[in-house]
Amino acid sequence: MVHADGSIIQTFDYLRQHGLQGFVDIWPRPTVIAWKIIACYAAFEAALLLLLPRKRVEGPISPAGNQPVYKANGVAAYAVTLSTYLSLWWSKSTSFERAETKSAESTS
């Protein structure tokens, strides 16, 4: 929509004229750093799925007679993810403050 000044109608017209290639052209492409962040996050969440304790939950029986089995550890994974994020954020901010304090002490 940025390419069409925020107009939905202009965006639809552009996509109708250019098809899927038009969508690919206007969609932002992730950088290498973004792909690394996404890969690290996916690996972290996969590790949580495997390592966190979980309760086995059986889903409803499908018309074909299959019954899916779920691992109910989503709330625990969310809590670990949030606490990890906050810990990393806090440690980065405190290490930055320590570096500022050291540089201020060395200049005085």
Side-chain angles (χ1 to χ4, degrees):
M1 283 213 218
V2 172
H3 301 284
D5 296 325
S7 170
I8 294 174
I9 294 171
Q10 287 181 8
T11 301
F12 284 139
D13 287 340
Y14 179 83
L15 294 176
R16 190 172 11 159
Q17 292 172 4
H18 296 92
L20 183 60
Q21 186 58 44
F23 184 76
V24 170
D25 291 341
I26 65 173
W27 196 263
R29 289 170 184 78
T31 63
V32 173
I33 292 172
W35 281 115
K36 288 178 183 178
I37 291 170
I38 292 167
C40 288
Y41 177 75
F44 179 73
E45 292 300 320
L48 290 181
L49 177 69
L50 296 172
L51 299 175
L52 286 177
R54 57 198 173 262
K55 178 182 174 186
R56 180 187 158 137
V57 178
E58 296 178 354
I61 299 174
S62 71
N66 299 320
Q67 187 173 22
V69 177
Y70 300 100
K71 300 171 185 174
N73 63 352
V75 174
Y78 174 74
V80 170
T81 302
L82 184 61
S83 61
T84 302
Y85 170 75
L86 292 174
S87 299
L88 291 172
W89 173 76
W90 181 80
S91 68
K92 182 178 178 182
S93 66
T94 56
S95 65
F96 180 71
E97 290 170 3
R98 284 184 287 217
E100 280 186 334
T101 304
K102 286 182 183 179
S103 67
E105 289 173 355
S106 66
T107 57
S108 42

